[in-house]
Amino acid sequence: MRRTTLRQRHCPDLRIDWPDTLHPVLRRVYLARGVASAEQIDHALTALTPPQALGGLDAAVEVLAQAIAEGQRIVIAGDYDCDGATGMAVAVRGLRMLGATRVGFVVPNRFEHGYGLSPALVGSLGERPDVLVTVDNGIASVAGVAAARERGIRVVVTDHHLPGPQLPEADAIVNPNLPGDAFPSKALAGVGVMFYLLLALRARLEREGRFAAGVRPNLAMLLDLVALGTVADVVPLDRNNRVLVENGLRRIRAGRGCAGIQALVEASGRSIATLTASDMGFSVGPRLNAAGRLEDMTLGVECLLTDDAARARELAELLSSINAERRQLQAGMVAEAERMVERTDVPDATGVALYDEGWHPGVVGLVASRLKERLHRPVVAFAPSDVGSDTLRGSARSIPGFHVRDALAEVDARHPDLMGPFGGHAMAAGLSLAADRFDAFAQAFDDVVRDRMQAEWLESVLWTDGELGAGEMNLELARVLRLAGPWGQAFPEPLFENTFECLRRRPMGSTGTHARFHLRDPRDGSMIDAVMFNIDPELPDVPNLRAAYSLVVNDWQGRETPRLLLRHIEPA
């Protein structure tokens, strides 16, 4: 459905005093990502941006310090995705470390309560807590916060989503993306915002002499959770987030991660000693997300909170089985969505909206993501919010350059009675909609996207770091790249391009959508193996090809070899 163009990232010619041990290829890669000094690849915790500039911290710390001093009951209300689950675990563990004795959590059920701190969730709390702290949600929960305060509950909102025109009347709001907030890193995930609140709270309690002389809680113990939530939420890995992620990864690799993360890594078949951000994003995070999509994210939070290794393994296996069910369900929904595209005029739309009454509301975001990749258009996928419901839940995914949450805001401005609540980011958003308004929304969304879209955004471009030289596709460089970074959103994993002779191509796996290649570098005749997932079945088997690829370490039965993970191929 789309044609991909390969383009090489610009690599400025800057004089930088790189460390002598830094591989020349890695120097080139860093330069192409805007790293202009050796200090920018220093990921020591001392490089973390101090919390003082983050707005709302003083008011939030005041509420929590009083709650701890008076032994009040604190309840953490999170989101039902990986960022929310890790954020809740960080909040519960961190507050307990800082002296809170009555801390619990509540997770909204996607199907019963809807998103965020809703009035329905507040009504389900039972015994009234003294303080309610949101994590990774709340900035759009105007009605939910009001319902909580009517019950006499103080509310602290911690969130990172973009605010709407009306803010909730909470006792405190901590969100780096509030207008005028001076915190320099706007890319914090929800779990990162919570971590920063704990840093500020610890500083306040330390000034008050709440800790024994010379002893204060080590909040760095929570960085494994912060790293997982940050990577899984696909927020930009600016330097501040890279510091958080790298230090979390170091804890996990050293065997000092919490029992739940260690169990999830093992259940995913990844190596704890060489775990990467990519492993967390593609193998560990989905196991937690699956619970929120199909079951109850309480399972995921319990896995992250337990210190019992056996219980953690039991929960990790359960989460893995739920994830397997999610993958099967997703495959069927994506196949139906692709058939829908083939038999309708959807490809003519610039902003695409899809709906099927048989789809699962917990998986529509994954369908939107897959169709967005195929069509290279903003996509919103809808499903009934519940069996027989006349309300739809939609999940939107966008392409680089196009701000989908702002597009939904414009749809709402043009058609005030069309949509229900909505919110999100530049690249992802969610909304609700009456089922009988789907056609009207599809037209309105396409109209807004057409008006706001720039032609160059519709071109699918794959940016590479140029060619690797003859002999550079080796195990040494593969190992260097694996543990560099951390790589992720806005700081992408190195991607190279070269021309190869294809000596052999054969199917891999039972689906026929993956393939193995045996390639030869025509410059020096060296051989290397490669794999490609989700290969286009219409791609011809050609003797010479141009490939964009990642150089990775293939660990098979304890033997490491270099391998190419092909991201794009075309006839040379």
Side-chain angles (χ1 to χ4, degrees):
M1 299 296 294
R2 65 172 185 171
R3 186 182 185 280
T4 299
T5 301
L6 298 181
R7 288 186 186 165
Q8 186 174 340
R9 293 187 180 92
H10 173 63
C11 186
D13 184 16
L14 298 177
R15 294 181 178 273
I16 296 177
D17 186 17
W18 295 112
D20 292 338
T21 56
L22 193 66
H23 195 287
V25 171
L26 198 52
R27 298 181 188 189
R28 185 177 97 205
V29 166
Y30 281 145
L31 281 169
R33 282 150 186 76
V35 174
S37 69
E39 287 73 23
Q40 289 179 305
I41 58 171
D42 176 11
H43 296 144
L45 270 179
T46 53
L48 199 64
T49 302
Q52 285 77 8
L54 184 55
L57 282 180
D58 289 344
V61 164
E62 182 68 32
V63 172
L64 292 174
Q66 180 183 352
I68 291 173
E70 298 178 3
Q72 296 179 358
R73 182 168 177 256
I74 305 171
V75 170
I76 312 301
D79 190 12
Y80 37 61
D81 67 358
C82 188
D83 186 15
T86 54
M88 281 184 280
V90 164
V92 172
R93 284 183 176 274
L95 288 171
R96 288 174 179 169
M97 291 167 68
L98 296 176
T101 56
R102 302 172 65 202
V103 186
F105 70 92
V106 60
V107 188
N109 185 289
R110 183 189 296 264
F111 315 108
E112 296 177 12
H113 307 117
Y115 170 78
L117 184 64
S118 64
L121 181 63
V122 173
S124 72
L125 291 178
E127 179 187 354
R128 182 184 68 84
D130 299 292
V131 178
L132 197 58
V133 182
T134 73
V135 179
D136 191 33
N137 76 97
I139 200 64
S141 301
V142 175
V145 170
R149 298 196 66 183
E150 285 175 6
R151 293 187 61 185
I153 305 170
R154 287 180 295 166
V155 181
V156 174
V157 168
T158 75
D159 203 350
H160 69 126
H161 295 93
L162 297 173
Q166 181 181 0
L167 295 178
E169 295 185 3
D171 294 81
I173 299 177
V174 183
N175 184 336
N177 289 301
L178 288 183
D181 192 281
F183 192 71
S185 176
K186 305 300 182 184
L188 282 177
V191 66
V193 176
M194 188 66 235
F195 182 72
Y196 264 85
L197 175 53
L198 293 173
L199 291 177
L201 178 59
R202 182 182 65 178
R204 161 73 176 269
L205 298 179
E206 192 171 24
R207 289 195 301 271
E208 294 179 352
R210 301 274 192 99
F211 310 127
V215 178
R216 66 174 185 171
N218 180 15
L219 295 179
M221 293 174 63
L222 305 173
L223 285 172
D224 55 339
L225 294 162
V226 177
L228 175 56
T230 299
V231 170
D233 213 46
V234 203
V235 292
L237 291 191
D238 61 6
R239 187 193 180 190
N240 202 58
N241 275 340
R242 294 201 304 275
V243 170
L244 292 171
V245 171
E246 178 61 22
N247 281 276
L249 280 169
R250 288 173 184 171
R251 290 194 64 84
I252 298 171
R253 291 170 186 156
R256 292 183 287 136
C258 68
I261 286 185
Q262 292 197 67
L264 286 166
V265 172
E266 291 168 357
S268 71
R270 295 301 189 267
S271 165
I272 287 177
T274 59
L275 191 75
T276 66
S278 178
D279 292 331
M280 290 200 294
F282 290 103
S283 298
V284 181
R287 283 168 162 74
L288 281 172
N289 276 328
R293 294 184 186 282
L294 301 187
E295 298 284 345
D296 185 346
M297 184 51 92
T298 300
L299 293 170
V301 182
E302 288 179 354
C303 182
L304 299 177
L305 285 177
T306 185
D307 293 319
D308 183 327
R311 177 60 176 161
R313 285 193 295 271
E314 178 184 345
L315 289 168
E317 290 300 329
L318 177 57
L319 291 168
S320 292
S321 66
I322 296 171
N323 188 51
E325 179 185 352
R326 185 273 307 169
R327 292 177 64 181
Q328 184 176 9
L329 183 62
Q330 175 188 342
M333 289 171 58
V334 168
E336 175 56 35
E338 290 177 339
R339 288 192 293 269
M340 193 181 298
V341 167
E342 294 294 339
R343 64 176 181 254
T344 67
D345 59 358
V346 164
D348 296 329
T350 306
V352 177
L354 301 168
Y355 161 59
D356 188 281
E357 63 181 10
W359 284 353
H360 194 291
V363 187
V364 287
L366 302 174
V367 173
S369 182
R370 184 63 63 86
L371 266 293
K372 177 263 298 185
E373 291 296 325
R374 179 180 177 186
L375 300 172
H376 200 68
R377 301 283 191 275
V379 175
V380 191
F382 289 91
S385 60
D386 204 351
V387 177
S389 173
D390 60 0
T391 300
L392 306 182
R393 289 196 182 140
S395 192
R397 296 293 184 270
S398 193
I399 58 177
F402 189 86
H403 200 302
V404 72
R405 188 265 175 199
D406 286 356
L408 292 178
E410 186 165 337
V411 171
D412 189 51
R414 293 185 186 183
H415 309 276
D417 300 322
L418 179 58
M419 300 191 309
F422 67 93
H425 304 283
M427 299 294 286
L431 70 153
S432 63
L433 184 74
D436 60 2
R437 306 305 305 276
F438 170 76
D439 289 339
F441 171 83
Q443 185 61 58
F445 181 66
D446 186 33
D447 290 343
V448 167
V449 174
R450 287 178 186 273
D451 290 346
R452 299 173 70 96
M453 184 65 70
Q454 296 184 24
E456 59 267 26
W457 296 343
L458 291 173
E459 181 184 5
S460 176
V461 176
L462 194 58
W463 293 93
T464 79
D465 294 288
E467 294 191 347
L468 283 180
E472 286 186 327
M473 297 173 213
N474 55 51
L475 184 59
E476 175 197 1
L477 180 56
R479 286 171 172 162
V480 166
L481 296 175
R482 178 174 63 182
L483 297 180
W487 314 112
Q489 182 72 14
F491 202 75
E493 182 181 4
L495 191 71
F496 306 101
E497 60 173 298
N498 283 84
T499 298
F500 298 95
E501 298 172 5
C502 182
L503 304 182
R504 185 169 65 253
R505 166 181 163 178
R506 64 184 187 277
M508 179 176 68
S510 58
T511 63
T513 58
H514 313 319
R516 295 183 187 275
F517 295 79
H518 190 55
L519 305 177
R520 178 164 57 199
D521 187 337
R523 296 169 299 179
D524 62 1
S526 60
M527 309 290 188
I528 192 163
D529 289 323
V531 297
M532 187 171 189
F533 300 105
N534 300 313
I535 192 169
D536 184 350
E538 298 181 2
L539 188 73
D541 191 353
V542 294
N544 298 289
L545 54 86
R546 187 74 176 172
Y549 61 90
S550 300
L551 176 63
V552 300
V553 177
N554 179 38
D555 187 351
W556 174 248
Q557 296 182 340
R559 179 174 176 266
E560 291 186 339
T561 57
R563 185 166 73 175
L564 307 186
L565 179 57
L566 305 182
R567 309 290 187 180
H568 171 80
I569 56 177
E570 59 188 39

